[in-house]
Amino acid sequence: MAHPVSAFQAAYISIEVLIALVSVPGNILVIWAVKMNQALRDATFCFIVSLAVADVAVGALVIPLAIIINIGPQTEFYSCLMVACPVLILTESSILALLAIAVDRYLRVKIPVRYKTVVTPRRAAVAIACCWIVSFLVGLTPMFGWNNLNKMQRTQELNASHTEFVIKCQFETVISMEYMVYFNFFVWVLPPLLLMLLIYLEVFNLIRKQLNKKVSSSSSDPQKYYGKELKIAKSLALVLFLFALSWLPLHVLNCITLFCPSCETPHILTYIAIFLTHGNSAMNPIVYAFRIKKFRTAFLQIWNQYFCCKTNKNASTTTAEPGN
């Protein structure tokens, strides 16, 4: 029989629902903007769409599953594991999308003349497909055996001899901390973040060199090109910074759990770290709206075409009817 939801759980669920209600519409708006605006059809924005799809899935799938895990229902081990794995898949997808965006920005400033022949729509689609395939392989690794099943079975055998293996479904119950730290964090999170940091540093270095060179040669077109690239690179670097800021605290807590089993981590810190990871999915559309002019223009166009003006037209029609 299910336990009643406590006041603390109710507060947790309310915050999670609020994050989902901001994340899902915001990222759908990003996808919609790229679909309807021809100026947002290059490779960078395709990778941004892939990131937005992952963020929509966080709000629509991961957050509801996180609420279920927080309640902790009694379930079969692999059923619980299936509930825990989507967040691993989507985290890795977001990291690889950010890495693809960073590489794309690097190529834009390193080989501006040959960029369009090197980064074709077909190659961008293949890169996105590869990112998702790798994400599924990394995120589903616990389903292939790197999990806590043997440990749980040994514990259950000591306590009682049940024929049906049922557990209280919680993330740390089924997901191995060795997997989370050694494989997920040390291989698939930290190295890509460090690599992206180096790539963006090189991007900014190349742009500044080009801007200084073009200032002395009085050529306005390259100046304008690299000026735009600098603005977009800063905005996308901010997206990366927010991602790192949102996800590193939880991974640090995982490292403490693994390397210092006797250390007591306050539950409130764990919940704050979880809120940060989920809240990151709601941040990106806000960054795009305030920092990237093409997105801001597309968002306003969608608002005027489908919401604001539609309401005004309906109001005008209603007013005009009595005079007919």
Side-chain angles (χ1 to χ4, degrees):
M1 190 174 177
H3 295 287
V5 176
S6 67
F8 187 83
Q9 283 179 320
Y12 166 81
I13 292 168
S14 299
I15 295 171
E16 289 281 38
V17 169
L18 182 63
I19 292 170
L21 289 174
V22 175
S23 176
V24 173
N27 285 287
I28 287 175
L29 190 61
V30 169
I31 298 165
W32 192 355
V34 173
K35 185 178 185 300
M36 72 172 290
N37 194 327
Q38 198 68 34
L40 296 171
R41 294 288 179 84
D42 64 15
T44 300
F45 296 107
C46 291
F47 296 131
I48 286 175
V49 166
S50 179
L51 181 60
V53 168
D55 287 338
V56 168
V58 168
L61 177 65
V62 169
I63 287 178
L65 293 179
I67 290 170
I68 291 171
I69 286 179
N70 181 260
I71 294 169
Q74 295 291 322
T75 183
E76 194 267 337
F77 184 88
Y78 276 99
S79 298
C80 183
L81 201 57
M82 287 179 69
V83 170
C85 282
V87 68
L88 304 173
I89 296 168
L90 295 171
T91 305
E92 191 55 39
S93 172
S94 297
I95 290 169
L96 294 178
L98 289 168
L99 180 58
I101 290 168
V103 172
D104 178 73
R105 300 325 294 182
Y106 174 76
L107 292 174
R108 273 182 171 275
V109 298
K110 184 70 175 176
I111 51 168
V113 178
R114 293 191 297 118
Y115 171 79
K116 287 190 177 179
T117 59
V118 173
V119 184
T120 62
R122 181 186 175 87
R123 286 174 179 169
V126 169
I128 290 168
C130 289
C131 288
W132 279 98
I133 290 168
V134 171
S135 301
F136 272 92
L137 291 174
V138 172
L140 291 177
T141 297
M143 295 293 294
F144 305 145
W146 197 346
N147 55 52
N148 285 336
L149 180 60
N150 290 335
K151 186 165 82 172
M152 293 298 299
Q153 283 176 331
R154 285 196 299 271
T155 305
Q156 188 132 332
E157 281 170 10
L158 289 172
N159 295 334
S161 56
H162 296 297
T163 54
E164 189 180 356
F165 188 59
V166 176
I167 60 164
K168 184 178 180 182
C169 185
Q170 292 182 324
F171 189 85
E172 288 185 22
T173 304
V174 292
I175 300 292
S176 164
M177 271 301 130
E178 286 80 4
Y179 161 82
M180 285 301 299
V181 173
Y182 293 126
F183 186 69
N184 189 280
F185 182 48
F186 287 167
V187 176
W188 291 104
V189 174
L190 196 56
L193 287 177
L194 293 174
L195 179 58
M196 283 183 268
L197 174 64
L198 293 175
I199 290 171
Y200 275 111
L201 288 174
E202 181 61 16
V203 165
F204 292 132
N205 183 45
L206 286 170
I207 290 173
R208 287 199 177 92
K209 279 183 181 177
Q210 291 297 328
L211 286 173
N212 291 335
K213 191 189 301 181
K214 298 308 173 187
V215 166
S216 60
S217 65
S218 71
S219 176
S220 59
D221 286 341
Q223 183 85 5
K224 188 177 178 183
Y225 175 82
Y226 286 105
K228 280 184 179 177
E229 286 301 316
L230 181 60
K231 286 180 184 176
I232 294 176
K234 282 180 178 178
S235 301
L236 296 173
L238 176 60
V239 170
L240 171 62
F241 172 75
L242 290 173
F243 182 89
L245 194 68
S246 299
W247 278 96
L248 286 177
L250 188 61
H251 283 291
V252 169
L253 290 177
N254 287 339
C255 290
I256 292 170
T257 301
L258 179 65
F259 298 128
C260 184
S262 60
C263 298
E264 287 290 331
T265 306
H267 286 299
I268 191 65
L269 287 182
T270 304
Y271 279 105
I272 290 170
I274 291 169
F275 289 142
L276 280 173
T277 61
H278 295 166
N280 180 251
S281 299
M283 294 175 192
N284 294 342
I286 298 169
V287 173
Y288 303 149
F290 281 96
R291 301 276 308 182
I292 301 177
K293 188 178 178 181
K294 286 180 181 179
F295 267 117
R296 189 161 59 249
T297 304
F299 291 162
L300 287 172
Q301 187 182 346
I302 290 169
W303 172 255
N304 290 331
Q305 187 173 343
Y306 294 96
F307 299 101
C308 179
C309 291
K310 193 171 181 181
T311 305
N312 292 339
K313 282 178 186 176
N314 290 339
S316 300
T317 307
T318 307
T319 306
E321 276 174 3
N324 288 339

